[in-house]
């Protein structure tokens, strides 16, 4: 099994930060005539995320149970979908709240991405601890039944994302869990990846969140916060 790491060239990262820094300057200088332009740019996040989320929801609630978790019922989403629902609600609320004032609040507009990284990282860490201690699931976690050993979240994320968004469907979910149960080496790999992404995400998110509030220039702080996803 081969794993491919994606490298973002420095030029792309620098271009992203420059773009978001420029956007922040436009925000600071926005007046009543240019605010609609800023509203359109800000809503782009919600449009793309909303379309992806709606498509994912449709696949999970469709009468054909092709993409649902094993033993899953209709109108019952997978674990990752519920997690994304909470994250998107919080992030959208922050974006809306910071955009309402006549002069938008620049720093709060930069924190949704760092908060998402912290939340995802903490989920990995908590489930990693539960798995290491041999704790059981308190509820059904995607295809893992209630009362079964708690797996690291990375396993659940791979199952849900590849199974639904990647089109792997139920056959992939079944094969992935069979592999996890049968292979000690694969379980160790999942655990190591879970700690790597969990701790790394929390450190990256917390560091960026602190930088957003510490950097003197609001424009640069905005660029740093928005570019986190490329700086990882």
């Amino acid at each position: 099994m081969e794993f491919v790491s994606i490298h973002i060239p420095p030029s792309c990262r620098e271009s992203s930060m420059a773009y978001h820094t420029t956007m922040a300057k436009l925000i600071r200088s926005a007046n009543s005539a240019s605010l609609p332009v800023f509203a359109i740019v800000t809503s782009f996040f919600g449009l793309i995320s909303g379309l992806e989320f709606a498509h994912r929801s449709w696949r999970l609630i469709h009468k054909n149970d092709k993409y649902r978790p094993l033993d899953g019922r209709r109108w019952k989403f997978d674990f990752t979908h519920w997690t994304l629902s909470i994250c998107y609600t919080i992030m959208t609320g922050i974006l809306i709240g910071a955009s309402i004032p006549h002069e938008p609040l620049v720093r709060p507009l930069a924190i949704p991405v760092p908060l998402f990284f912290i939340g995802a990282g903490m989920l990995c860490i908590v489930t990693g601890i539960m798995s290491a201690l041999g704790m059981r699931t308190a509820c059904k976690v995607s295809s893992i039944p209630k009362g079964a050993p708690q797996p690291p979240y990375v396993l659940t994320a791979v199952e849900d994302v590849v199974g639904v968004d990647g089109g792997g469907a139920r056959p992939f979910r079944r094969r992935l869990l069979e592999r996890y149960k049968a292979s000690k080496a694969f379980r160790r790999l999942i655990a190591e990846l879970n700690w790597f992404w969990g701790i790394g995400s929390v450190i990256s998110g917390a560091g960026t969140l602190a930088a957003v509030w510490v950097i003197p220039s609001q424009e640069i702080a905005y660029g740093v916060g928005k570019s986190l996803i490329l700086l990882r």
Side-chain angles (χ1 to χ4, degrees), residues 118-133:
I118 294 173
M122 288 303 300
L123 184 58
C124 289
I125 292 174
V126 171
T127 55
I129 294 175
M130 293 178 66
S131 178
L133 296 178

Side-chain angles (χ1 to χ4, degrees), residues 30-228:
N31 51 40
S32 57
S34 60
L35 282 177
V37 177
F38 168 64
I40 294 174
V41 175
T42 304
S43 65
F44 189 73
F45 161 80
L47 176 63
I48 300 300
S49 300
L51 290 176
E52 293 177 347
F53 195 72
H55 181 251
R56 196 174 199 282
S57 300
W58 173 249
R59 283 189 162 187
L60 287 170
I61 66 176
H62 194 272
K63 62 180 180 180
N64 185 340
D65 62 357
K66 177 180 178 181
Y67 296 102
R68 286 198 287 273
L70 303 180
D71 299 321
R73 294 178 295 173
R74 193 177 185 183
W75 310 111
K76 296 287 186 179
F77 298 125
D78 56 27
F79 188 80
T80 297
H81 201 81
W82 286 115
T83 303
L84 289 175
S85 299
I86 297 173
C87 291
Y88 284 166
T89 300
I90 295 174
M91 294 170 70
T92 303
I94 293 174
L95 290 175
I96 293 175
S99 303
I100 289 177
H102 180 72
E103 293 187 4
L105 307 176
V106 178
R107 293 186 193 272
L109 285 170
I111 68 174
V113 175
L115 289 179
F116 180 84
F117 271 63
I118 294 173
M122 288 303 300
L123 184 58
C124 289
I125 292 174
V126 171
T127 55
I129 294 175
M130 293 178 66
S131 178
L133 296 178
M135 299 178 66
R136 303 277 175 170
T137 58
C139 62
K140 192 175 188 299
V141 180
S142 292
S143 295
I144 304 294
K146 179 180 179 180
Q150 173 69 56
Y153 177 64
V154 163
L155 179 72
T156 305
V158 171
E159 177 197 340
D160 294 341
V161 173
V162 178
V164 180
D165 306 270
R170 284 194 165 189
F172 173 80
R173 292 181 184 269
R174 184 176 295 105
R175 290 195 298 268
L176 178 69
L177 296 183
E178 289 174 351
R179 173 82 171 182
Y180 183 76
K181 292 178 181 178
S183 175
K184 182 178 180 181
F186 186 63
R187 291 195 297 272
R188 183 172 64 252
L189 172 64
I190 291 295
E192 291 173 353
L193 288 174
N194 188 76
W195 290 118
F196 174 79
W197 286 108
I199 296 175
S201 294
V202 170
I203 292 176
S204 298
T208 305
L209 186 63
V212 167
W213 295 105
V214 171
I215 294 176
S217 171
Q218 294 192 72
E219 292 82 2
I220 296 178
Y222 182 86
V224 170
K226 287 291 186 178
S227 303
L228 172 61

